[in-house]
Amino acid sequence: MRVGMPHMGNIYIPFKALFQRLNIDFVFPPVNNQRTLSLGVKHSPEGLCIPFKLTLGNLIEAAQLGADTLLMPAGYGICRLGYYAKTQEQILHDLGYKNVEIVQVGISEHKLPGLLRTIKRLANNAPWTRIIAGFRFGISKLNAMDRIERVVQKVRPLELVKGTANQIFAKAIQAIDRADDYKTLKRVQVEYIDQLNQVPKNEHAQPLVVGVIGEFYVVLEPFSNFDIEDELGKLGVEVRRTLFASEWTKFTFFLNPLGVNEKDRIHKAALPYLKRDIGGDGWESVGEKVLHAGEYDGLIHLVPFTCMPEIIAQNIMPKTRESIPVLPVLCDEQITKTGVLTRLEAFVDLLERKRRAGNNGGQRVNTQRSVHGSLSRH
Amino acid sequence: MRIGIPRALLYYQYYPVWKTFFEQLGAEVVVSPPTTQTMLAEGSARVVADTCLPVKVFLGHVISLVDRCDYLFVPAIRSIQYKVYNCSKFLGLPDMTRAVVPEAPPILEIEIDINKGKRVLYQAIYRLGRHLNWNPLKVRQAGLAAWQAHLDYRELMSSQGLTPPEAIARIADIPETEQKLPSHEPAANRATIALVGHPYLVYDEYINHRVMRRLKQGGNEILAPEMLPTDKLESAVASLGGRAYWTYEEEVVGAGGHYLQNGTDGVIGIMAFGCGPDSLLMDVLHRQAARLRSTPFMCLTLEEHTAEAGVITRLEAFTDMIYRRKRRQAEVCV
């Protein structure tokens, strides 16, 4: 048995640590690239979203590398993502990978015990102590990565030599991947955060703050969102987001069962405009817009093309009383990065003008408001 | 008090329920007229471009009802089967309607979620009925009558082989306008064709360019998902994909899976471009048809730019292929 799974950002690193500790034979497909996307698009039914196409590409590539047990999230009551594993298994079988089995990880219904039981099955019934120890180590790696990424987000817009933070981040990820005990992991984390803090920065700049909201996968997978955070960093914009894989893990697995939900605040903000969970991250998108209206300069709303919950959110968001410029960015294989970059530049220009106008007193506010109006009506 | 019901989306499944419920409580029910070009254009203008066609049509109907009713009824049907959920578009429908049609009259909404238990369901029904009558007993009575109307409606369709618009007309005692013309086509040029898909696509003649009427005029017999009893639909779903995942899965996978194996010469699936559930469910049917290699299957994808001529061409090609097959089979038998 050889285990494989699709990519989402750097999520493979904690899983690699887990599989290594449990002596599970595993293989990861190459990180998302043009070939993954082409493979996925070629074999997907039309009208599916980019997460389906990319994960299908990953699964095919994993099967080509000999994986026969593939992990894929599933479950009821989310969006169509819960159905993907079924369709993808059919597609793999029809392509000739007859012995491939997709293990559905029903996170929304079985929570942590379900995931641990799946891991136990994959690990050939290893003792629970080893499974929990491996899982814990994986989560520490995840947390370390996200802690460093938060610092990277702060450094990117300010660094004098563009790209320095990214280089350090790439090295940090490699170092975290290599670390095989808690002590090394801690050292790596401290070391790289130090390095990032010492990057020469423009100390006087007051960068624009833009929140990135939208669907979970496209927010966390840079290949699918045209490296939007990096590109915003190059334009001198500080990016904030609430979606982090480590946060999600912490809440979904440990705090939600205890009745603590970080999303309650967001949902409450969305209530006047959207009363119920509509699956996916639609409710959260509306709520985040309302919450961040006075806080950030603008928002980027990442939407996979044909995503049902985000379309509803997109239709509701322009009608909220709390106003903030929102740039919806559709993520799809048909959309080119150049087009997205042009729109990003225009958006950042607009935010800059808006901020200047705000500082000069309300002289130009009226024109700004009309620009914003037409923009968020999109 | 007039309550407006848009003739779109779930109208075809539940109109008799809603009508009975509201009329029992003393309200008058106003239904929007059949879809027109203006409605579609007005609905499309309110939403982002990639919203699906049925939702655009729905909003068009809502806009047409704005001045004709005091309240608008927009349900949010989340789940009508244990752990089987509906598409996001249905869940967000009331809030979305309120956001994009601000001039709409107050919206009466009800959230149906069977997973939350009977108590919550009954409370939701009472909260809806309370707008018309405070008396819980009256609301209960109306609810029971409505449920009976629904059962009768389903029974009428499956026992007599009627489509939802035909059944609704018969319940309302509207005489059938369409006379059955005797077909002059030879027997080999007549086929039994099943149309599968959500009722809001199959029976909305404007958006599907009268697919059903065209096929009937050619002398073909048409079968629809509603003509099958529930147990047949459910068993077809179970044999194709295991447990259902979507609320209205049986209209597509159930009916399609059944008709591909039972007594039809061809199956046509109708879906809207960008439909989340159908993009996966039609794929299930495609694969099943390819595996069986017995019944031809075609999928028509509709959007507001779909041209009538394109639909006709595809229908002609599909039926020609079926007739050719039938003639060849007849020759082999002789």
Side-chain angles (χ1 to χ4, degrees):
Chain A
M1 185 181 71
R2 183 175 277 190
V3 178
M5 58 178 277
H7 282 291
M8 184 184 75
N10 293 317
I11 197 90
Y12 70 96
I13 286 174
F15 274 97
K16 194 170 162 187
L18 171 70
F19 293 157
Q20 274 170 347
R21 290 216 156 186
L22 295 173
N23 295 328
I24 297 174
D25 181 18
F26 66 90
V27 61
F28 281 107
V31 289
N32 284 332
N33 55 57
Q34 203 51 48
R35 179 173 182 264
T36 318
L37 185 58
S38 310
L39 262 179
V41 169
K42 187 176 170 193
H43 299 293
S44 299
E46 68 165 352
L48 279 168
C49 60
I50 193 122
F52 182 95
K53 293 168 183 166
L54 279 174
T55 51
L56 178 66
N58 289 147
L59 295 179
I60 294 174
E61 285 183 322
Q64 285 169 346
L65 292 170
D68 53 12
T69 308
L70 300 167
L71 299 182
M72 194 53 206
Y76 292 94
I78 37 179
C79 63
R80 31 177 184 172
L81 186 83
Y83 198 87
Y84 284 179
K86 264 191 198 174
T87 309
Q88 286 172 333
E89 194 173 54
Q90 285 294 316
I91 293 173
L92 284 169
H93 286 176
D94 288 354
L95 280 176
Y97 302 103
K98 300 274 183 216
N99 56 345
V100 166
E101 183 203 0
I102 294 193
V103 178
Q104 303 191 8
V105 188
I107 287 164
S108 61
E109 39 194 19
H110 305 304
K111 312 267 188 254
L112 183 59
L115 181 61
L116 290 179
R117 270 200 298 276
T118 313
I119 296 169
K120 192 172 165 77
R121 213 185 94 200
L122 298 178
N124 232 339
N125 261 330
W128 280 114
T129 43
R130 276 183 60 205
I131 288 168
I132 290 171
F135 190 73
R136 210 183 127 218
F137 188 55
I139 287 192
S140 316
K141 284 200 171 185
L142 186 62
N143 290 340
M145 284 193 307
D146 282 355
R147 268 186 216 121
I148 296 176
E149 192 171 359
R150 280 176 205 271
V151 182
V152 172
Q153 286 182 333
K154 295 253 186 259
V155 175
R156 259 186 205 141
L158 301 175
E159 62 192 1
L160 291 177
V161 184
K162 290 292 172 202
T164 326
N166 279 350
Q167 280 171 11
I168 299 175
F169 187 42
K171 276 189 207 141
I173 296 290
Q174 282 171 9
I176 288 173
D177 191 18
R178 278 195 303 269
D180 49 11
D181 54 53
Y182 286 100
K183 214 174 130 197
T184 331
L185 191 60
K186 186 84 197 163
R187 210 198 56 220
V188 166
Q189 189 186 320
V190 172
E191 192 182 305
Y192 281 96
I193 289 182
D194 263 6
Q195 271 196 36
L196 282 166
N197 286 333
Q198 280 160 15
V199 169
K201 290 191 253 321
N202 179 358
E203 301 293 344
H204 306 292
Q206 285 187 321
L208 290 165
V209 180
V210 164
V212 171
I213 61 173
E215 196 272 338
F216 197 72
Y217 182 92
V218 291
V219 170
L220 294 182
E221 173 54 60
F223 182 77
S224 69
N225 66 26
F226 317 99
D227 289 313
I228 207 151
E229 290 197 23
D230 188 22
E231 297 299 339
L232 282 167
K234 282 187 201 155
L235 292 171
V237 175
E238 186 183 327
V239 174
R240 303 238 178 109
R241 61 174 144 104
T242 41
L243 287 177
F244 274 95
S246 60
E247 290 285 304
W248 183 87
T249 318
K250 184 168 87 189
F251 281 101
T252 316
F253 289 149
F254 305 110
L255 295 179
N256 287 1
L258 301 174
V260 182
N261 193 345
E262 90 282 20
K263 286 183 176 161
D264 279 350
R265 207 167 58 96
I266 300 174
H267 293 165
K268 214 172 148 191
L271 267 188
Y273 310 107
L274 185 57
K275 283 203 222 25
R276 50 185 71 84
D277 186 8
I278 52 171
D281 302 279
W283 208 12
E284 287 79 15
S285 293
V286 176
E288 285 206 53
K289 186 199 165 186
V290 174
L291 271 185
H292 300 318
E295 207 177 327
Y296 299 164
D297 292 295
L299 288 174
I300 305 259
H301 184 198
L302 294 176
V303 186
F305 182 56
T306 73
C307 175
M308 303 121 66
E310 297 301 336
I311 286 176
I312 299 276
Q314 246 184 306
N315 279 325
I316 293 179
M317 278 160 70
K319 309 300 188 307
T320 61
R321 270 187 303 281
E322 297 79 359
S323 79
I324 177 171
V326 178
L327 177 72
V329 175
L330 289 181
C331 304
D332 190 61
E333 84 272 5
Q334 301 284 350
I335 289 164
T336 56
K337 187 164 179 173
T338 326
V340 173
L341 290 187
T342 312
R343 294 183 64 203
L344 272 189
E345 280 168 21
F347 185 63
V348 171
D349 281 351
L350 178 137
L351 296 183
E352 264 166 14
R353 273 208 312 274
K354 194 172 179 220
R355 181 183 267 192
R356 270 206 307 274
N359 290 346
N360 294 347
Q363 206 178 343
R364 287 174 59 195
V365 167
N366 281 338
T367 57
Q368 291 305 317
R369 205 174 267 161
S370 69
V371 170
H372 156 225
S374 64
L375 188 83
S376 57
R377 257 220 52 97
H378 168 89
Chain B
M1 193 163 90
R2 293 165 307 165
I3 295 179
I5 294 182
R7 191 190 290 263
L9 292 181
L10 299 174
Y11 162 86
Y12 298 95
Q13 269 112 328
Y14 300 121
Y15 175 63
V17 186
W18 300 339
K19 185 174 149 65
T20 317
F21 184 75
F22 291 127
E23 285 185 346
Q24 287 269 322
L25 292 172
E28 185 193 333
V29 171
V30 185
V31 185
S32 55
T35 315
T36 60
Q37 194 186 357
T38 333
M39 279 183 187
L40 178 55
E42 282 184 342
S44 307
R46 302 288 179 112
V47 286
V48 293
D50 41 349
T51 312
C52 64
L53 179 65
V55 170
K56 289 176 178 166
V57 170
F58 179 86
L59 293 169
H61 281 270
V62 167
I63 295 168
S64 81
L65 280 169
V66 164
D67 301 321
R68 295 178 46 216
C69 58
D70 307 313
Y71 283 96
L72 197 69
F73 179 58
V74 185
I77 297 195
R78 189 188 189 81
S79 169
I80 50 170
Q81 240 175 306
Y82 179 64
K83 288 241 169 146
V84 178
Y85 290 91
N86 212 342
C87 166
S88 310
K89 308 252 168 78
F90 289 104
L91 307 182
L93 204 55
D95 291 303
M96 189 170 133
T97 310
R98 209 171 284 133
V100 301
V101 194
E103 72 270 28
I107 287 176
L108 295 181
E109 60 178 290
I110 178 171
E111 181 177 322
I112 306 263
D113 186 351
I114 225 83
N115 297 295
K116 288 183 181 160
K118 275 188 179 168
R119 204 184 138 78
V120 176
L121 179 64
Y122 293 160
Q123 274 172 350
I125 294 172
Y126 176 60
R127 231 174 300 154
L128 174 66
R130 202 173 51 186
H131 291 279
L132 303 165
N133 195 323
W134 64 270
N135 185 348
L137 290 174
K138 284 266 166 57
V139 175
R140 188 186 126 88
Q141 226 171 20
L144 289 175
W147 181 241
Q148 190 54 46
H150 180 62
L151 295 179
D152 293 346
Y153 174 60
R154 294 294 312 210
E155 169 66 25
L156 183 67
M157 287 191 293
S158 62
S159 65
Q160 306 210 13
L162 296 178
T163 63
E166 284 168 355
I168 289 171
R170 189 166 298 184
I171 292 172
D173 271 335
I174 297 169
E176 280 171 44
T177 45
E178 206 181 332
Q179 270 123 29
K180 275 209 171 144
L181 294 170
S183 173
H184 303 297
E185 299 282 342
N189 279 9
R190 269 176 279 153
T192 311
I193 294 173
L195 280 183
V196 300
H198 300 299
Y200 49 77
L201 293 173
V202 177
Y203 305 114
D204 192 323
E205 293 206 317
Y206 178 75
I207 60 178
N208 68 22
H209 301 290
R210 302 192 290 281
V211 168
M212 189 175 265
R213 193 173 298 230
R214 280 175 208 286
L215 287 170
K216 272 188 187 161
Q217 276 167 353
N220 304 297
E221 196 193 331
I222 302 300
L223 298 173
E226 285 74 19
M227 297 174 188
L228 288 175
T230 327
D231 54 321
K232 286 223 171 100
L233 292 173
E234 276 168 2
S235 69
V237 170
S239 73
L240 268 180
R243 197 157 132 20
Y245 184 82
W246 300 104
T247 301
Y248 300 111
E249 187 164 334
E250 63 260 35
E251 292 159 4
V252 182
V253 172
H258 179 85
Y259 285 135
L260 277 176
Q261 283 180 296
N262 298 293
T264 55
D265 300 312
V267 178
I268 299 177
I270 300 183
M271 69 177 273
F273 176 74
C275 175
D278 282 5
S279 57
L280 293 158
L281 300 182
M282 282 298 171
D283 185 61
V284 172
L285 288 185
H286 261 299
R287 283 174 199 280
Q288 171 73 354
R291 218 173 287 138
L292 290 173
R293 291 177 164 275
S294 58
T295 315
F297 174 76
M298 170 173 85
C299 177
L300 284 178
T301 307
L302 302 172
E303 51 163 321
E304 62 262 53
H305 303 298
T306 307
E308 190 168 8
V311 173
I312 297 175
T313 310
R314 293 200 61 196
L315 279 182
E316 280 174 354
F318 187 71
T319 45
D320 281 352
M321 188 249 311
I322 291 177
Y323 301 150
R324 213 166 43 235
R325 253 171 84 103
K326 287 190 79 166
R327 278 200 296 274
R328 200 178 301 148
Q329 275 163 2
E331 280 162 22
V332 170
C333 291
V334 171

